[in-house]
Amino acid sequence: MAEKIKKRSVKAGLPPGTLVHIGTQKVGESLIRILDYDEHGVREKNKAAVDECIPFRDTDSVTWIDIEGLQDIKLLGRLGECYRLHPLILEDILNTDQRPKSDDMESYIFVVLKMLDFDPASMEIISEQVSIVFGRNFVISIQEGHEGDLFEPLRERIRSGKGSIRKMGPDYLAYSLLDTIIDHYFLILEKIAERIETLEENVVSDPGPETLRQIHRLKREMIFLRNSAWPLREMIYGLEKSESELIRPATKIFLRDIYDHAVHIIDSIETYREMLSSMLDIYLSSVSNRMNQVMKVLTIIATIFMPLTFLAGVYGMNFKFMPEIGWRWGYPLVLLIMFTVAAVMLYLFKKKKWL
Amino acid sequence: MAEKIKKRSVKAGLPPGTLVHIGTQKVGESLIRILDYDEHGVREKNKAAVDECIPFRDTDSVTWIDIEGLQDIKLLGRLGECYRLHPLILEDILNTDQRPKSDDMESYIFVVLKMLDFDPASMEIISEQVSIVFGRNFVISIQEGHEGDLFEPLRERIRSGKGSIRKMGPDYLAYSLLDTIIDHYFLILEKIAERIETLEENVVSDPGPETLRQIHRLKREMIFLRNSAWPLREMIYGLEKSESELIRPATKIFLRDIYDHAVHIIDSIETYREMLSSMLDIYLSSVSNRMNQVMKVLTIIATIFMPLTFLAGVYGMNFKFMPEIGWRWGYPLVLLIMFTVAAVMLYLFKKKKWL
Amino acid sequence: MAEKIKKRSVKAGLPPGTLVHIGTQKVGESLIRILDYDEHGVREKNKAAVDECIPFRDTDSVTWIDIEGLQDIKLLGRLGECYRLHPLILEDILNTDQRPKSDDMESYIFVVLKMLDFDPASMEIISEQVSIVFGRNFVISIQEGHEGDLFEPLRERIRSGKGSIRKMGPDYLAYSLLDTIIDHYFLILEKIAERIETLEENVVSDPGPETLRQIHRLKREMIFLRNSAWPLREMIYGLEKSESELIRPATKIFLRDIYDHAVHIIDSIETYREMLSSMLDIYLSSVSNRMNQVMKVLTIIATIFMPLTFLAGVYGMNFKFMPEIGWRWGYPLVLLIMFTVAAVMLYLFKKKKWL
Amino acid sequence: MAEKIKKRSVKAGLPPGTLVHIGTQKVGESLIRILDYDEHGVREKNKAAVDECIPFRDTDSVTWIDIEGLQDIKLLGRLGECYRLHPLILEDILNTDQRPKSDDMESYIFVVLKMLDFDPASMEIISEQVSIVFGRNFVISIQEGHEGDLFEPLRERIRSGKGSIRKMGPDYLAYSLLDTIIDHYFLILEKIAERIETLEENVVSDPGPETLRQIHRLKREMIFLRNSAWPLREMIYGLEKSESELIRPATKIFLRDIYDHAVHIIDSIETYREMLSSMLDIYLSSVSNRMNQVMKVLTIIATIFMPLTFLAGVYGMNFKFMPEIGWRWGYPLVLLIMFTVAAVMLYLFKKKKWL
Amino acid sequence: MAEKIKKRSVKAGLPPGTLVHIGTQKVGESLIRILDYDEHGVREKNKAAVDECIPFRDTDSVTWIDIEGLQDIKLLGRLGECYRLHPLILEDILNTDQRPKSDDMESYIFVVLKMLDFDPASMEIISEQVSIVFGRNFVISIQEGHEGDLFEPLRERIRSGKGSIRKMGPDYLAYSLLDTIIDHYFLILEKIAERIETLEENVVSDPGPETLRQIHRLKREMIFLRNSAWPLREMIYGLEKSESELIRPATKIFLRDIYDHAVHIIDSIETYREMLSSMLDIYLSSVSNRMNQVMKVLTIIATIFMPLTFLAGVYGMNFKFMPEIGWRWGYPLVLLIMFTVAAVMLYLFKKKKWL
């Protein structure tokens, strides 16, 4: 996180609307995919050039321009001119440290959110920014990176004409994109739920510094998830309540549905947070309990053997005049006393329930 | 919980409105019960087929279709067509990981909530999803599982014509279903109150790791209950404030009543949560207190016997020239000194209130 | 608390409006007192029968029916018929596990709240439910139990005609009842403030397990008080903002006054809660501090005597060839070394501020 | 605080509006100061009698009646009659355990708040209640006690005619009184800030039970301050947003200014509260850290000397047949072994970073 | 912070609107820079006198008066007269302990906020107050101190005519000033993020009192930052929602953008706060864990050597009649027993997982 914020300061002092890509610079080209469809057919173009989208600008069919990779700043600039996007919107698209939000710009609506995934190597959550702009007859989606292609099933659905997607407008396509991304959040939550459950057993059966480190790590991830999920909810709420004509009433029912999903995600996150807090309490209590056990063992040992050692020490003294030393039964007597002392001590510990 | 979320990810990528049952798949058939009534009489049909509800669709009597079990996806699809339910509603019914909510769909109102029960074996709370759809002349209730039949007393009330239920519309029947479910929450709270009280005595009289584990378990259950109860309140509030014509003013007074119940449930849950937090504090303090006790015992023993043992050690040294060794009263004198040291130590501990 | 909730589950499954007394069943009869007054005079009837209130129903004078004890369910039913009370209201009156609230039923207003008192034996707070129903020309007040009679001074005021009470309507009488009950809350808060202050001195001067138990007990009572006070405030707020014609503007100024009292009560409760939390922190810190002290004593003793005992042990060995043993000044020399070691240790502890 | 609440219960049962002075009864007379002014001149009267204010009642000049001391209940009653104050207002003035608030009574506005000061002896915050009533042409200010006279500079300003105060109405005078009182809060906050800073250095350099006690005391004072400041903000907000004609628009800009001050005060209080919480955490951590240090010293000493003492013990045994005893180099060898053991132990502790 | 509040009390008792500079008095003169521009050209004047701004007062070009240093109270007074600023506004400008806020004064808008920077020496955050007043054709910006000149890039932009700034009004200039300041917050957050990350590694790898002190310090800084950021957000929100004609709709889109930035800043601050809290928990747990380790070492050592030393002590007693002493294999036997005891102990510790 620190890394991204660091990049951001690069912009301090520049006039607003200056296009600078804030985020990990990825080598290679940005990939453009154009998919134009209406009820009757689909026209598709992969690895397209920017200007190829111009002819679709004024048709009535829905044009979906999907861009992967933010390297090519000029490309975005050209696109912005073509669809008359406000410079601040372009700036927001390039700044990958954006808070999820939606902006109603009258002739189009801008939505930005985080797509989450697990890094298979480190098992950490990685997030990628997705910006969606949709207007009367177009949807532009911009993904930060190349990895994976979450939207392929959607593309397939459009090609095959299954479901009602080809009959609906760009607002429905935008909703479908959001739905795809949000459904992916549940995958992340599942994985986390599994890890929490494993951890919960560990805390009870065998708590150690590693358990602590894992609780800490999960807590950090929950903070991160929460930062993505709360504004996500807000954003969808904004869309649902929007008075823009770009969102049809029929689509709002669907937005209401993903709003419920977002609320559900937040509920889960808060629940996990509370469970982690509770686990930390349990952990601390366990450590205290164990220390108590250790202390008891020490005290029992010391309490039994210190008096005995003292007694042995007394009869180890070299005084000339110690009558007991010469007694016939002195030694057995002392052993008996020692045994009695030890027995009484043990009895007392038993009574105090230390044993 | 993890299990349910896991199932959910199965849906990622499918078009919205695809009917997939998310939850524990139960073998066997779904059970349909039809109860049609008006002021004058009751018509009942158990183990009905779906299509048997069609004739009741356009009558003025109230038709209650009660379905147990979510296995039969086709059945639901057919029912959805018959009563023109939105695909998203059907999806919500099948997805048993739903957050309690109510949706006003104009021609009908959809309500989903959790029915709670105790698992007699593990004494854990189990929850079952109940969906209620009611319109101008029908109520459809869908329960996730077969176990128990909470609604039988209600059915009996309708059959016998006791109370005013037969004179009221489907909104009153829907209210009665909600009332039955919510009344059951109090049963759960009672059981939990009992367990908390037992635990509270334990914490004071004999705290141990088991107490800790129980507090943790109850805390988890409170988190779970809370997640069910808060949206429940919201949901009933939504119904009460609804401007739909499907809910008559006379029924709203009753909804207001269960709203009060829901608030009462939340109050109790929050109270228990606070009591559990307070108990954890007490537990931790008790453990600290006990460790203090143990430490004091250890310190007293060590402080008394270490100097004495040292003294004994001194006169156990084998130096040739140790005048005290040869004294007539050396031994009794040393014993006296030892006794004095011990007495002084004990006196000091007494003064410090460690004894 | 657990007890009451337990009773509540008895009702699960019964139709709404069924009259069942939820609470501790008290033996004996319910006591009815009727007081009818206007500016010109007062008519009083103690130990009245229910039907005796009928003649007053349609007069213009104010009729105050005060009922003590909830045993007689039929009596309430009869009263309900006479004044046309909604079955849910009667249910609420009988259910003594009610959350404070007010309901505007158009022809009358229903108010339910808790009357608090200290149990003189156990010094625990006991609460009794009071329901107040007032309409155009009547006030019905229903107390759960017989103990004490908080309302006698009020009755005396009416009889004597002091103050303006006889000139005002039933809304003012209802206000006076509320005022009497709420004034009693301050008495409870006083007692608690005293106990908190005593406890606070204890925490500083002599903390022990008993202190902890008391903090815990007070915390529980604060949770309980809070549960009564917050809805109380809400309830009075509801009355003050009510648009019902049954509450005259002149009375609203007085309601505003007890609203301020309720806010004051809540402020005090929250303050006490924070003070108790702070005291628990202090308690825990004190325990930690003390353990630190104990540990230091132990460590000082061990650090001084362990090396000394070891030294004595060395010269207690029986080796044939130990030159020091035979030295003339061996013994004094060893004693000197021992003394030096002890002195150095003490100096180090002094420097570390452990002494 | 407990004391004041205790006094309050004296009133339980009395009819509302009964004038009883709740608070510490102060001996001596109440002091009345009358200051009547308009743009042209000032008429002043110290140690006036109540009835002397009557002639000013119907003039157009602003009359400021300043009363110090609440002993003389009759005086207040007479004043109440003269300016037609509601009995509940008089009751609120006398009850010095009032929550800051403002009441708009149409023909006049009533404001009550706390004036804070430091008790020079105990360095504790003391609070004094100030009530302000202002109408079309008068301001009545009532202070609980005699000590100090915060308002003298204001009086001087009126006399000299400096600033615009003589040209403005009673609302501006009331504002000036509030401004004077609120400015005094900053003085209190300063002193507390100083004490917190001193404490902060202590916690780091030399934490002890006294530090703990001071944190606790400051926490209590912050709770107290907060209870005064939050309703203060509310009260000023109420005045600023008031639709009463008694507050001119020109004055509202000034009220907005003291509203900002009140928010600033609350911000500071919350900041100090957080800093105190953070300091308590640091304190607890320091104590833990220290105990850790103590434990390490103990463990190091024990771990080094216990094996050595044992070794010495072994060669102190009196067995007849112990070959080592007779060896020529037995003694030096054992000493060497002992030295080696100690050295290894120290090396291990070094490696574990305990030293 | 304490210092500033202290200064504030200087004002207690003075009439409102009295100009007193609250803050660290800086020696030297205030520096005035005048920049007047419209689409066609730029007129610039550095180290100007106050009265030089009068000629620009009634032109249509935008006049930016930038003042550095608050020493010269008269200067401000003159400026206030010239642009008819309300005395309370001038007071707010001089009081550098101001909470960020915006005031709409109809003919101009007043904005005050904090400019943050790192003190290069102590690495602590220092804050400087910036006040901005803008009207129909002017912007006045007043900075507390001389250090650095954040606004130079902006001035350069105006001179060069790059971007659209010369075509926009004073509201856009005011926005640009705000944008410059807020962009600087990200720089601060970056530095803090770096420090938190370093600290996080320390907590895991090598926690010590220094770690604790750093956590505490960062916590304090977060409290401070939060106090600046929350009202900042509120302030920008107020500007964006303002109905003043001084803010053009085109500028509001830009205000919305910095509003998003402010929300982002708050999000980051809250995240860091949570991470610090979590780190403190980890720290405390680590300390507990370590103490547990230390205790175990102590207990193991004591438990092994105490019984052995006792055994050695027994055979060190000088009784005349101790048969074992004379045995041929007595010594080896005892050594064997000792070895066995030690081995059993070690085995038990292994089993308990202490080793």
Side-chain angles (χ1 to χ4, degrees), chain C residues 174-190:
Chain C
Y175 148 74
S176 301
L177 291 168
L178 291 177
D179 189 43
T180 305
I181 293 167
I182 289 168
D183 269 358
H184 219 73
Y185 275 68
F186 286 102
L187 197 93
I188 304 295
L189 287 177
E190 267 172 46

Side-chain angles (χ1 to χ4, degrees), chain A residues 157 175 190 200 260-261 263-264 267 271-272 274 278 282 289 295 299 310 317-318 320-321 324, chain B residues 5-6 8-9 15-16 97 99 101 216 220 226-227 273 283 294-295 315-318 325-326 331:
Chain A
R157 252 208 283 155
Y175 147 74
E190 264 171 50
E200 202 153 33
D260 286 344
H261 291 188
V263 170
H264 197 302
D267 268 16
T271 300
Y272 295 158
E274 283 195 64
S278 176
I282 293 290
N289 255 328
M295 291 297 309
T299 306
F310 163 65
M317 293 193 296
N318 297 320
K320 294 267 154 65
F321 304 91
E324 302 96 318
Chain B
I5 289 181
K6 216 177 297 174
R8 185 154 201 165
S9 66
D97 181 32
R99 208 175 167 267
K101 65 167 184 174
H216 181 54
R220 274 199 64 169
R226 200 167 157 235
N227 275 355
R273 272 167 59 87
Y283 178 82
V294 173
M295 291 298 308
Y315 292 103
M317 292 193 297
N318 297 320
I325 292 292
Y331 178 50

Side-chain angles (χ1 to χ4, degrees), chain C residues 51-150:
Chain C
D51 299 326
E52 293 184 66
C53 52
I54 296 175
F56 299 113
R57 206 171 52 188
D58 300 313
T59 61
D60 275 340
S61 57
V62 179
T63 314
W64 175 17
I65 302 166
D66 182 38
I67 300 174
E68 289 185 3
L70 286 175
Q71 301 82 347
D72 200 343
I73 293 175
K74 273 185 207 157
L75 185 156
L76 265 184
R78 212 105 42 85
L79 200 71
E81 277 170 42
C82 170
Y83 282 100
R84 286 182 209 88
L85 306 180
H86 194 284
L88 283 175
I89 295 296
L90 294 175
E91 201 188 325
D92 283 350
I93 291 173
L94 279 168
N95 178 352
T96 59
D97 180 32
Q98 208 62 38
R99 208 174 167 268
K101 64 166 186 175
S102 68
D103 276 340
D104 183 349
M105 306 297 283
E106 272 180 59
S107 64
Y108 58 92
I109 289 177
F110 171 65
V111 168
V112 60
L113 76 167
K114 301 284 172 198
M115 191 151 86
L116 298 188
D117 214 341
F118 261 109
D119 182 26
S122 68
M123 284 303 288
E124 292 203 344
I125 298 171
I126 47 176
S127 92
E128 190 181 320
Q129 179 158 310
V130 178
S131 310
I132 299 171
V133 182
F134 65 97
R136 194 186 55 83
N137 67 347
F138 70 95
V139 175
I140 304 172
S141 61
I142 300 123
Q143 305 176 50
E144 192 183 346
H146 283 230
E147 297 95 359
D149 186 8
L150 230 54

Side-chain angles (χ1 to χ4, degrees), chain E residues 21 24 34 62 98 198 249 282 302 306 309:
Chain E
H21 174 211
T24 333
I34 301 175
V62 179
Q98 208 60 40
T198 318
I282 293 291
M306 278 191 161
T309 304

Side-chain angles (χ1 to χ4, degrees), chain B residues 190 200 260 271 289 295 318, chain C residues 9 101 220 227 283 295:
Chain B
E190 267 171 48
E200 203 155 33
D260 286 344
T271 301
N289 256 327
M295 291 298 308
N318 297 320
Chain C
S9 66
K101 64 166 186 175
R220 275 200 65 169
N227 276 354
Y283 178 83
M295 290 298 308

Side-chain angles (χ1 to χ4, degrees), chain B residues 67-234:
Chain B
I67 300 175
E68 289 186 4
L70 288 175
Q71 300 83 346
D72 200 343
I73 293 175
K74 273 186 207 157
L75 185 157
L76 265 183
R78 212 106 42 84
L79 201 72
E81 278 170 42
C82 171
Y83 282 100
R84 286 180 209 89
L85 305 181
H86 195 282
L88 284 175
I89 294 296
L90 293 176
E91 201 187 326
D92 282 351
I93 290 172
L94 279 168
N95 178 351
T96 59
D97 181 32
Q98 208 61 39
R99 208 175 167 267
K101 65 167 184 174
S102 67
D103 276 341
D104 183 349
M105 306 296 283
E106 273 181 57
S107 64
Y108 58 91
I109 290 177
F110 171 64
V111 168
V112 61
L113 75 168
K114 300 285 172 197
M115 191 151 84
L116 299 187
D117 214 341
F118 261 110
D119 181 26
S122 69
M123 283 305 288
E124 292 203 342
I125 298 171
I126 48 177
S127 92
E128 188 181 321
Q129 179 158 310
V130 178
S131 310
I132 298 170
V133 181
F134 65 97
R136 193 185 57 80
N137 66 348
F138 70 95
V139 175
I140 305 172
S141 62
I142 299 124
Q143 304 176 51
E144 192 182 347
H146 283 230
E147 297 94 0
D149 186 8
L150 231 53
F151 296 154
E152 188 52 35
L154 196 60
R155 226 168 268 128
E156 195 46 49
R157 253 209 280 157
I158 295 173
R159 281 186 209 116
S160 71
K162 263 186 208 153
S164 50
I165 195 163
R166 289 240 303 259
K167 288 171 214 136
M168 315 283 278
D171 52 343
Y172 187 83
L173 177 55
Y175 148 75
S176 300
L177 292 169
L178 291 177
D179 189 43
T180 304
I181 293 167
I182 289 168
D183 268 358
H184 220 73
Y185 275 68
F186 285 102
L187 197 93
I188 304 294
L189 287 176
E190 267 171 48
K191 292 257 172 73
I192 286 178
E194 271 171 44
R195 278 156 68 185
I196 287 178
E197 227 149 87
T198 316
L199 210 53
E200 203 155 33
E201 281 163 30
N202 272 3
V203 162
V204 173
S205 66
D206 181 28
E210 181 53 31
T211 321
L212 187 62
R213 212 163 298 139
Q214 291 232 11
I215 293 176
H216 181 54
R217 210 174 121 191
L218 277 171
K219 267 189 131 180
R220 274 199 64 169
E221 286 189 350
M222 290 333 280
I223 294 174
F224 173 72
L225 270 180
R226 200 167 157 235
N227 275 355
S228 305
W230 276 97
L232 184 72
R233 196 194 70 147
E234 242 172 74

Side-chain angles (χ1 to χ4, degrees), chain E residues 198-207 211 215 279 282-283 286:
Chain E
T198 318
L199 211 52
E200 201 154 32
E201 279 162 31
N202 271 2
V203 162
V204 173
S205 66
D206 182 27
T211 322
I215 294 176
M279 270 162 70
I282 293 291
Y283 178 81
S286 298

